[in-house]
Amino acid sequence: MHKTCLPPIHRIAAIGSAVAIVAASSAFGIGVSVSSASADESVPDTSVATSTGADASAGVGATTGVGAPATGPTDPAVGSAPGADAGPGETSRDHGVPAPAATPAPTTTPAAPAAPAAPTVPRAPATTTTVTPVAVTPVAVTPTAAAAPSATAAGTVAITGTATTWHTLRAVTDGWPAGTTFTYQWTLSGPVVGTRVIAGATSDTYVLGHPDATSDLTVAVTGTAPGEDPTTVTSAPVHADPNDETTFTGAGVRELTAHAGETISVPIQALTGGQGSLRYGVSSSADGPIDAAALPAALTLSSDGVLSGSTTTAQVIDFWVLARTSEEPAGAPGQHVQLTVGLAADTQLRAFVTDYDPPHSRSWTVSADGTTEYLDALSDDQAPTSTPITSTVGSTITVNTGLVDRYGNRQPIPVIDDDWASSVAGDTLGKYDPGTAVTFSSPGVRTLTGTAPDGRTISFTVRVAATATTATPMTPAAAGGTASGTGSPSSGSAPSGHLAFTGADETGPIAWALGLLAAGAALLVARVRRRRA
């Protein structure tokens, strides 16, 4: 039976193809190695190597293990061409068509001579790649210019209020964006002052003063909305006139009264009712400056012009209340005020007694309870203050009364129209300025009583001493005569050859003279003895 030669031809073609593929791979330096997945397995690595050159003509040698000759057909999974081992009825791997039936080969096929084993290609060691950082050069970015802010949308401003002296004008804004903030500047213009920006007038209110009368005022308002530029708007002018209703200036002195210890609250203001932004200050002069010390410590003037407080000292306080306007914030001439603080309401009578008898000027103060205080204004040698009131027959004292309150304040001018009376009918009383004169007619103690116009009385006692006795001189007897009942010569003339009788004892001076002579002699004797010794 005729054997077909197709299977051998197919094998030869497959082997040739494999050789060609391996040769091409070797030309590009590609090696294939197969190793086991774990080092612990007992199966050694199987390597497939290809050789070129002389080995190519001898065929392809398949090895199992390392360098062991093949003992059977070549493993179709390694190095076999597709479809080379397709059996009868199988589909060819190369062409996708059924392969022709192969003629059974002899049982024993001589093996091709084994090609020398290709050396195992060692696995390339892992390579560590070093990455060198690349310097980054910064790129300058030019910012884009922001859009310029727009101007604030303008609203309006108007001046409201009474445009007369001492009143307050106000700048009222309307129609501006929400959140707008404002600044203000007032300007004065007129035929006399010209146009002038008023220094310090930078609020939304303006207080008119005398310099503003007969002039026009305007206010410039600058509004700035958030994130926008400011916008300035000026109001329409307003004409200012004098205030004819006020008597704050030029009305003379305003007189006020109060009692010591009384709490007062008196408005001293230029306007009736609300004062607006008008403020006040006190000064000791019409031209200022404002000085709170112009009032006693217990009295104050509030900034809205109310005088309040109390003082326990009776006195007259003279001061000025100044008006503080926008044009004259330090104070413009205002109201002249005089406050008279009199005695407290619960006063008592006090008597004053004077005895003017140079070189003495004695005086006593008598309180309502009868106690006295003595003073001698012309003497340096003062008697005790409790010295009683004394006088002599025929002498005159002056009495009057005044008032004193619980704070010790005395009436500045004593009352001189009181009615006085003496307990001794013979004493003489006569009224004259500054009081009542009392002349005492006899010695002894008497009581003087004074009655005030309101019916209150005060009494005190005076000790009057008798007039001093005058000695009567003796008349000498006439010469040759004797006094009646004495045997002396009755004649008023002295005997011839004798000195007139003077009433002196002549023996005394003689004894003093003899004693002095004896003492002098004794001193001389003692001195002589000392020299001899």
Side-chain angles (χ1 to χ4, degrees):
M1 180 175 180
H2 177 73
K3 292 181 180 181
T4 178
C5 62
L6 290 175
I9 294 174
H10 289 168
R11 287 189 178 92
I12 293 172
I15 292 172
S17 299
V19 170
I21 292 171
V22 170
S25 300
S26 299
F28 288 100
I30 299 175
V32 180
S33 64
V34 179
S35 60
S36 64
S38 174
D40 296 334
E41 296 181 3
S42 60
V43 180
D45 292 340
T46 302
S47 301
V48 176
T50 58
S51 62
T52 58
D55 294 336
S57 61
V60 177
T63 59
T64 301
V66 179
T71 57
T74 303
D75 186 355
V78 180
S80 301
D85 297 331
E90 293 180 353
T91 303
S92 172
R93 296 178 181 177
D94 291 330
H95 308 286
V97 295
T103 302
T107 302
T108 301
T109 302
T120 303
V121 179
R123 183 179 299 177
T127 303
T128 302
T129 303
T130 301
V131 179
T132 303
V134 179
V136 179
T137 303
V139 179
V141 179
T142 303
T144 303
S150 60
T152 301
T156 61
V157 59
I159 298 176
T160 62
T162 303
T164 57
T165 307
W166 312 124
H167 285 91
T168 301
L169 301 179
R170 185 177 298 276
V172 178
T173 58
D174 187 32
W176 296 81
T180 300
T181 57
F182 300 99
T183 58
Y184 304 87
Q185 179 60 65
W186 294 81
T187 300
L188 186 70
S189 61
V192 178
V193 298
T195 300
R196 176 169 55 87
V197 174
I198 304 171
T202 56
S203 69
D204 62 338
T205 59
Y206 185 87
V207 179
L208 293 168
H210 282 299
D212 304 317
T214 70
S215 299
D216 293 334
L217 285 103
T218 58
V219 60
V221 175
T222 300
T224 306
E228 296 182 348
D229 286 340
T231 298
T232 301
V233 175
T234 302
S235 71
V238 170
H239 187 74
D241 295 317
N243 186 356
D244 296 332
E245 300 176 358
T246 182
T247 57
F248 187 63
T249 58
V253 180
R254 181 177 176 181
E255 296 183 355
L256 304 174
T257 59
H259 293 290
E262 176 188 1
T263 300
I264 62 174
S265 180
V266 182
I268 307 175
Q269 300 168 332
L271 300 174
T272 301
Q275 303 300 301
S277 297
L278 180 61
R279 294 295 177 262
Y280 301 88
V282 65
S283 175
S284 57
S285 69
D287 298 326
I290 292 176
D291 183 10
L295 293 175
L299 296 175
T300 59
L301 181 77
S302 65
S303 61
D304 57 351
V306 177
L307 178 67
S308 61
S310 65
T311 177
T312 58
T313 303
Q315 57 187 312
V316 177
I317 307 168
D318 197 76
F319 60 95
W320 277 259
V321 175
L322 307 184
R324 308 177 72 173
T325 65
S326 296
E327 181 79 12
E328 298 174 289
Q335 180 72 67
H336 184 194
V337 182
Q338 189 175 81
L339 172 63
T340 300
V341 181
L343 305 182
D346 54 345
T347 58
Q348 296 178 342
L349 291 177
R350 174 171 289 190
F352 302 95
V353 181
T354 304
D355 181 10
Y356 181 71
D357 184 16
H360 299 284
S361 178
R362 303 183 301 166
S363 63
W364 291 264
T365 300
V366 183
S367 300
D369 59 1
T371 58
T372 61
E373 296 179 10
Y374 170 76
L375 175 66
D376 189 344
L378 298 181
S379 176
D380 295 333
D381 186 12
Q382 292 292 329
T385 57
S386 59
T387 301
I389 303 173
T390 60
S391 187
T392 58
V393 174
S395 298
T396 300
I397 64 172
T398 301
V399 295
N400 52 30
T401 56
L403 299 175
V404 62
D405 63 14
R406 64 179 181 272
Y407 302 111
N409 297 309
R410 298 181 180 183
Q411 194 172 20
I413 301 176
V415 178
I416 61 175
D417 55 356
D418 289 358
D419 292 329
W420 286 92
S422 174
S423 59
V424 175
D427 293 342
T428 302
L429 291 84
K431 288 186 177 182
Y432 72 100
D433 190 9
T436 299
V438 181
T439 303
F440 302 106
S441 60
S442 60
V445 178
R446 68 258 292 128
T447 300
L448 299 181
T449 302
T451 303
D454 59 4
R456 290 183 293 178
T457 61
I458 185 171
S459 299
F460 57 89
T461 60
V462 180
R463 299 178 183 179
V464 179
T467 304
T469 302
T470 303
T472 302
M474 296 179 62
T475 301
T482 60
S484 173
T486 61
S488 299
S490 60
S491 174
S493 60
S496 178
H498 295 274
L499 294 175
F501 179 74
T502 61
D505 185 5
E506 66 275 14
T507 59
I510 294 175
W512 279 101
L514 293 175
L516 291 173
L517 291 174
L523 290 173
L524 290 174
V525 172
R527 191 170 184 181
V528 171
R529 288 181 177 179
R530 285 183 180 179
R531 289 180 178 179
R532 291 181 177 179

